[in-house]
Amino acid sequence: MRFSRLAPLAGACTIAALVGTTALTPMGNTAQAAPTDGTLADIAISDADCATGAPTFDNVITAAASALRTVVPAPQLVAYDQQVNEFRQTVAATRIHRNLLPVDPGTVGQRLDDIDDPIVTYIVNGLDAVRTGRMDTTVTVSELTVNDAIEVFVLSNRIVKIPTQMAANMVPRVGYMLRGMVGGMFKGVHRMARVIQDRVGDTCNIPNSYAPLDLSFTDDEIYQSFEVPAHIEDLANQLVLASEDCRPAGGLSTRQIFERTRAYLANHPELPVDRDTLNNAHDSIQAFLRDHQVAGPLVMRPVEELGPIPNAIDYGPLTFLTNLGFDIHQGRLLDTVPLADVSIENSGDLAYAALDSASLLISLASMVAGIGGFASSAVLTPINIAKVMAFAPAKYGWPIMRGVLRSMCAAE
């Protein structure tokens, strides 16, 4: 009997072990060891032990092998255990770049954990890995956990959400409502995955009959260097993970952005820039930003400061109207703010609100035209599709960019 022939059955046992044992075994249950016979599985399991935490791939393999071991004839146990060990060693020898996989946002930073957008986490962690030199660090597949696999699903769910919402938004007349319904469905799947991760981490690990692998020989091993494009490396070196001691990049004002841009261009040795012309242009722009004011309601608060409902929906017109209500209540409706003090995040949020408002008006106009018989679906449908495609880059890109800007600070 070769272990390789049992791979499909091992996968089935893996699922059964995870769903049955991990989901149903409460904290504090004792693990009973099967009788041993002097083979590789002759390992005592303490009744008092209840190791918690997400099981690794090696834990899953050994749990599946332990389940299969109960049906292996006694004369073949030694050979079976040897094949299991060889398979485990093969998996342990397979290495991957850790930072090419999605990670738990809580392991990267508190702000990422609060935002909990897997695309944002993936981008921020990747940029930080490039800046700190972690991009070449690898781990064995055996060390990856079930929760790491769930993170891949969470990221895939978030990526698939974008084209699905786009497709829903193209439905004539009711597309903008379907988009919200589809978004809510994907968000529910996301939250369910997080609940499963928490449950997996809080229950007893699946007992098995095999000794832990010795992975000391793989520690700090560097795999084939991962080539990072020069422009990505340059960007990564300009940003650091946000902390309580720094101001997020999204909070930088237009004045600060132009100052940093001038400094970068003036000090870049490979750019043939006339320093005097650059400085004069910078001074003119700063004077314009300082001397021109914008209405206070156009400088919107961060959406999380507006309450749980606007924060959950994060819909441009609603966010703008809620901000306007705060300004009226606080007597700031007629206040003005210099352009120099408007932040990157606020500029993006304002553009996002304008985009959402334009999209809503076009959808409502199409609905009225269709109901009133002023235009046929042959005319309205292409218009609606063109609107969705034209607005898509900003509509689906800005929330991700805003999350990145909130999670990273400009490097000094």
Side-chain angles (χ1 to χ4, degrees):
M1 178 184 296
R2 297 298 301 173
F3 185 76
S4 58
R5 296 180 182 177
L6 301 175
L9 185 55
C13 290
T14 296
I15 299 298
L18 287 175
V19 174
T21 307
T22 305
L24 301 179
T25 302
M27 290 282 292
N29 276 13
T30 58
Q32 299 293 334
T36 58
D37 50 15
T39 64
L40 177 65
D42 190 10
I43 302 169
I45 301 177
S46 171
D47 289 345
D49 290 340
C50 177
T52 59
T56 64
F57 277 30
D58 187 64
N59 295 145
V60 172
I61 292 171
T62 54
S66 298
L68 291 172
R69 192 176 186 277
T70 61
V71 298
V72 175
Q76 300 181 25
L77 283 176
V78 174
Y80 175 80
D81 287 339
Q82 183 178 356
Q83 293 167 33
V84 171
N85 186 56
E86 291 174 357
F87 182 75
R88 295 173 68 198
Q89 294 295 337
T90 300
V91 175
T94 304
R95 304 188 65 86
I96 59 174
H97 287 89
R98 183 63 185 89
N99 293 287
L100 292 182
L101 294 176
V103 296
D104 180 355
T107 64
V108 184
Q110 181 60 47
R111 296 190 184 184
L112 286 172
D113 199 23
D114 294 338
I115 296 172
D116 196 15
D117 185 316
I119 298 180
V120 173
T121 302
Y122 189 76
I123 293 174
V124 172
N125 181 66
L127 290 173
D128 187 63
V130 171
R131 188 185 68 83
T132 58
R134 294 186 288 112
M135 207 62 197
D136 290 336
T137 302
T138 63
V139 297
T140 72
V141 172
S142 294
E143 293 178 287
L144 298 177
T145 68
V146 173
N147 279 355
D148 291 328
I150 296 177
E151 284 295 340
V152 176
F153 168 77
V154 170
L155 178 60
S156 301
N157 176 73
R158 177 67 175 86
I159 293 174
V160 173
K161 175 182 175 181
I162 295 175
T164 306
Q165 280 190 301
M166 286 183 60
N169 204 24
M170 290 181 183
V171 178
R173 302 182 184 179
V174 295
Y176 67 95
M177 292 187 292
L178 286 179
R179 185 189 67 198
M181 296 171 61
V182 170
M185 178 185 69
F186 276 92
K187 185 173 290 186
V189 173
H190 179 119
R191 290 179 177 174
M192 181 180 68
R194 292 299 185 214
V195 170
I196 293 174
Q197 284 182 316
D198 292 340
R199 179 61 177 166
V200 167
D202 289 341
T203 55
C204 296
N205 285 340
I206 305 169
N208 67 80
S209 304
Y210 294 90
L213 278 177
D214 180 11
L215 298 176
S216 59
F217 68 96
T218 63
D219 286 350
D220 300 324
E221 182 177 341
I222 301 299
Y223 193 60
Q224 180 180 358
S225 178
F226 182 80
E227 296 295 331
V228 179
H231 63 281
I232 298 295
E233 186 172 359
D234 194 32
L235 173 63
N237 290 330
Q238 300 296 317
L239 299 168
V240 296
L241 282 176
S243 65
E244 296 180 356
D245 301 326
C246 68
R247 186 179 187 182
L252 293 176
S253 65
T254 54
R255 173 182 56 80
Q256 293 171 312
I257 290 298
F258 279 104
E259 286 177 352
R260 293 183 63 87
T261 302
R262 183 202 62 79
Y264 175 80
L265 295 175
N267 296 322
H268 202 294
E270 298 180 2
L271 295 178
V273 177
D274 184 292
R275 304 301 191 269
D276 293 335
T277 301
L278 177 65
N279 291 332
N280 291 335
H282 171 263
D283 293 341
S284 298
I285 292 174
Q286 292 288 19
F288 176 85
L289 295 174
R290 182 180 62 251
D291 297 338
H292 288 76
Q293 307 278 323
V294 294
L298 297 181
V299 182
M300 299 192 298
R301 299 164 180 79
V303 66
E304 63 269 17
E305 296 181 7
L306 302 177
I309 295 179
N311 188 29
I313 299 176
D314 196 14
Y315 184 55
L318 176 62
T319 303
F320 180 80
L321 291 175
T322 307
N323 266 283
L324 187 62
F326 272 83
D327 288 331
I328 294 174
H329 176 71
Q330 297 174 1
R332 298 170 54 186
L333 184 61
L334 301 180
D335 289 354
T336 59
V337 179
L339 279 173
D341 294 337
V342 178
S343 67
I344 302 175
E345 184 177 343
N346 182 257
S347 300
D349 283 340
L350 186 60
Y352 185 67
L355 194 66
D356 269 340
S357 299
S359 178
L360 178 60
L361 290 175
I362 294 174
S363 298
L364 292 177
S366 298
M367 183 184 298
V368 171
I371 294 175
F374 300 108
S376 66
S377 60
V379 174
L380 297 178
T381 299
I383 292 176
N384 191 59
I385 293 175
K387 175 206 70 176
V388 174
M389 298 302 293
F391 291 174
K395 177 64 184 175
Y396 300 99
W398 171 244
I400 296 173
M401 179 62 67
R402 181 175 61 189
V404 173
L405 292 174
R406 288 180 176 181
S407 305
M408 306 199 82
C409 297
E412 296 297 335

